[in-house]
Amino acid sequence: MIQKVPYDSRNGIHLMIGNVYQYNRKFGKTLSLIQSRNPDLVFLVETDQAWADAMTPIHEGYPYRILCPLENTYGLVLYSRLPILRKEINYLIDEEVPSLEFDLELRGGQVITIYAIHPTPPVPGENSTSTERDAEILIVGKKSKANPLPSIVIGDLNDVAWSYTTSLFLKTSELADPRRGRGFFNTFHAKIPLFRWPLDHVFLSKQFGLAAIHVLPGIGSDHFPIELKATLTANDTTDTESATNEEEQEAEEKITNGHENQKADQD
């Protein structure tokens, strides 16, 4: 379980993540929520060009941006008050599905890495298995574990917090889920109260303590946004899981299968 700590704006970060639902045109709800919550970083998925254009009113307050709007429901836009020192737009499995990797400088001078993703879900008749989604999630976990900087993984993973893949991801990445021991924090389906699941995630490396986590009010999407405040701690006080040799091998096999499936789809 991640340690609860006070929020420290110099050594911490306030994040807001939301799947806006591409065909949702209630742009003002998202703008109003960003302005009222005032996070350091905003990550929005399913953003087409209309969404990117609609978010221009916040550009002045968020001078560091990574914009990758797309019309295929896999567009990404990211806005930051904190300096982005390095940024990559990657296509880890599918050439039509981007993900972000970037280094961010906190106010106190510490540098952290954030991985922002939205992998494809299983879709009957189109992408009937979770092979490619699982591979992308596990690739990001592998990259995070190899990174010497404190790291955070954020996004709509199209997977629930208790799934086998998420469990394998947490073990192979040695990241921690801030919800554990605190509740489900369900974000989907915003319009069906009796059927809700935690599909939008923030995972933290062991250098972070948790200051706050909340599911936010609806923005007209089928997902609720979620926000989190985390602070770097002096000691690595979070207990993280580690993968066995068999689990490491299984993760590598899933990654290989994801690449092979995508190659077969292209052929």
Side-chain angles (χ1 to χ4, degrees):
M1 183 172 173
I2 296 178
Q3 178 189 20
K4 190 76 165 60
V5 298
Y7 184 60
D8 175 1
S9 61
R10 280 185 55 78
N11 297 303
I13 186 166
H14 178 190
L15 305 160
M16 175 178 153
I17 299 101
N19 181 325
V20 299
Y21 181 62
Q22 179 173 300
Y23 306 105
N24 168 29
R25 290 305 186 232
K26 298 178 181 177
F27 306 123
K29 283 183 171 287
T30 298
L31 285 170
S32 295
L33 188 62
I34 293 169
Q35 289 160 354
S36 66
R37 301 310 299 176
N38 196 32
D40 296 320
L41 184 143
V42 179
F43 178 52
L44 304 177
V45 308
E46 284 204 30
T47 41
D48 59 7
Q49 190 60 52
W51 269 98
D53 293 343
M55 293 298 107
T56 54
I58 67 169
H59 282 197
E60 184 177 353
Y62 292 87
Y64 306 97
R65 299 181 288 272
I66 307 175
L67 306 180
C68 185
L70 295 171
E71 308 301 315
N72 65 355
T73 74
Y74 290 100
L76 311 174
V77 294
L78 182 133
Y79 306 91
S80 177
R81 298 188 188 282
L82 303 173
I84 295 175
L85 306 182
R86 177 187 66 88
K87 61 184 178 182
E88 298 178 11
I89 299 176
N90 296 317
Y91 297 82
L92 299 173
I93 293 291
D94 190 324
E95 63 184 13
E96 296 182 354
V97 179
S99 66
L100 309 181
E101 177 182 335
F102 57 98
D103 292 342
L104 204 66
E105 184 178 5
L106 303 183
R107 293 179 180 88
Q110 287 269 16
V111 178
I112 66 172
T113 301
I114 296 182
Y115 303 88
I117 66 174
H118 180 214
T120 56
V123 179
E126 179 181 335
N127 179 21
S128 59
T129 70
S130 61
T131 305
E132 293 170 24
R133 178 203 65 192
D134 295 353
E136 181 167 344
I137 293 170
L138 293 168
I139 288 170
V140 170
K142 185 177 178 181
K143 288 166 72 73
S144 176
K145 183 180 177 181
N147 188 348
L149 295 174
S151 59
I152 303 176
V153 174
I154 62 176
D156 171 7
L157 271 62
N158 279 309
D159 197 18
V160 292
W162 55 82
S163 76
Y164 181 77
T165 296
T166 299
S167 176
L168 185 62
F169 162 82
L170 290 172
K171 290 177 181 179
T172 55
S173 66
E174 298 185 359
L175 297 171
D177 185 344
R179 293 166 298 201
R180 289 198 172 177
R182 297 184 171 94
F184 289 113
F185 299 91
N186 296 328
T187 57
F188 176 89
H189 194 293
K191 299 181 180 181
I192 307 178
L194 295 179
F195 296 96
R196 287 183 175 164
W197 316 101
L199 295 187
D200 301 273
H201 304 266
V202 182
F203 299 111
L204 304 173
S205 65
K206 61 185 178 180
Q207 298 94 334
F208 288 97
L210 177 69
I213 183 171
H214 304 286
V215 175
L216 297 174
I219 54 173
S221 171
D222 52 355
H223 289 244
F224 293 109
I226 191 168
E227 73 172 343
L228 177 140
K229 292 182 178 180
T231 298
L232 289 173
T233 57
N235 301 302
D236 299 341
T237 53
T238 297
D239 294 326
T240 57
E241 300 178 90
S242 296
T244 63
N245 289 337
E246 290 78 11
E247 288 168 331
E248 293 280 5
Q249 183 177 349
E250 182 180 5
E252 290 296 334
E253 289 173 355
K254 284 179 174 286
I255 291 171
T256 299
N257 290 340
H259 283 298
E260 290 176 349
N261 269 28
Q262 181 59 29
K263 186 175 184 297
D265 290 343
Q266 292 173 343
D267 294 342

